[in-house]
Amino acid sequence: MVLQESARNSSLVTKLNAIWESTEYSDLTIRCGSEDFKVHRAVVCVSCPFFAKACAGQWQEAQTGVIDLEEDDCPTVGRMLKYMYIEDYEDEGDAASITPYLRDTPEIYLTEADKPRNPNEPFAGDNTSTLSRHLNNVAVYAIAEKYSILRLKDLALDKFESLMCKQELSPAIPTVIDAIFRTTTPLDEELRGVAVKFCASYDAEIVSDERYSWILRNHGDLGLGVLRKLGKERKEDRNRTLTRLEDILHFEIFSGRARRNYSDTQQDSIQSLASQLRELKNSLKTPK
């Protein structure tokens, strides 16, 4: 039964992909710059509230059959549209531009070195293909937010997080993180959270190396997030250590060996130390 269900799903995806690649039965054009995407209202309108509204009533788009997304990035629009057909997209291939999705934030830099690097400018020793994949997923995340396609947003997050789990620190990474913080709001913590987690794992290198530290100076929310995560991790480490010590003392108190090897005074001292450890753990759990 499971194999049959999997085969049916695979067959359906194959058919939908064929529909996406064919223009024969399309009844709507999505125009972005000089590129036209021939699509099907029955697919895109049920996938995106914006397209459903544009194709309804007396709107110009409903009459002409053309929706112009002149403010968007063409490769990113293509990935969004393909997702509507097969619920997936390829983050390799044409590099996206995040420029259309930058928030209206003042670009104030402490020094000339703090200015973000151009994502299209190659970095010595960096895998530019990997950098492009990161930025492609950031752009898809942004366009999914813009057009309220929540499942596409979740997919972009999953793809980005999967790549970052294998990513090592490199001079290109601050550009990716800068793109995240310039295309999302402080309330959108999911994609930002992946960046914070990555920076926290390389905290010493990022703080001490000028190739990376500019990203912390430019984005206070990132620096604060890293500090909070490191504080939480270190508190958890302390609690694990205290729990281990408490377990050892508990064993010493209640095992037969304690009664054989320790005097009454020594046993009282062990019990007192165990009690102090419990109090210390409880104090660490209590928010200041």
Side-chain angles (χ1 to χ4, degrees), residues 105-281:
T105 53
E107 295 185 355
I108 301 174
Y109 309 109
L110 300 181
T111 68
E112 187 69 20
D114 290 336
K115 290 186 177 181
R117 294 287 298 272
N118 183 342
N120 297 320
E121 182 180 343
F123 290 79
D126 272 324
N127 186 330
T128 55
S129 174
T130 301
L131 173 61
S132 294
R133 292 181 68 187
H134 286 316
L135 292 174
N136 287 346
N137 287 317
V138 171
V140 170
Y141 188 91
I143 202 173
E145 168 69 18
K146 178 178 179 179
Y147 291 110
S148 301
I149 310 174
L150 300 184
R151 291 178 63 181
L152 174 58
K153 187 177 172 183
D154 289 340
L155 179 61
L157 175 65
D158 288 344
K159 285 178 177 284
F160 180 79
E161 189 168 18
S162 178
L163 279 175
M164 288 298 283
C165 285
K166 308 169 194 173
Q167 178 67 50
E168 295 181 353
L169 186 61
S170 75
I173 287 300
T175 296
V176 176
I177 295 173
D178 181 70
I180 291 172
F181 277 78
R182 294 173 69 197
T183 57
T184 59
T185 70
L187 296 178
D188 191 343
E189 298 179 349
E190 293 181 311
L191 197 62
R192 289 184 172 208
V194 178
V196 166
K197 181 179 178 181
F198 180 86
C199 289
S201 65
Y202 288 99
D203 58 312
E205 294 92 333
I206 288 177
V207 169
S208 62
D209 194 324
E210 284 297 319
R211 292 178 300 171
Y212 312 119
S213 58
W214 66 264
I215 194 67
L216 296 175
R217 291 195 294 270
N218 281 2
H219 298 289
D221 287 346
L222 172 63
L224 181 59
V226 171
L227 284 175
R228 285 175 172 169
K229 182 165 182 60
L230 290 174
K232 181 180 178 182
E233 289 176 351
R234 286 164 186 170
K235 184 175 181 179
E236 290 171 349
D237 287 342
R238 288 197 304 268
N239 282 335
R240 280 192 291 269
T241 301
L242 291 173
T243 298
R244 178 60 181 153
L245 288 172
E246 188 179 10
D247 290 342
I248 293 172
L249 291 173
H250 186 274
F251 175 79
E252 292 292 342
I253 292 169
F254 293 102
S255 69
R257 187 176 69 174
R259 290 187 290 274
R260 291 193 306 270
N261 297 342
Y262 300 125
S263 67
D264 291 343
T265 302
Q266 288 173 323
Q267 291 183 49
D268 289 343
S269 296
I270 292 174
Q271 289 180 342
S272 175
L273 182 56
S275 176
Q276 292 176 42
L277 280 173
R278 282 193 296 272
E279 291 178 3
L280 179 57
K281 281 179 62 181

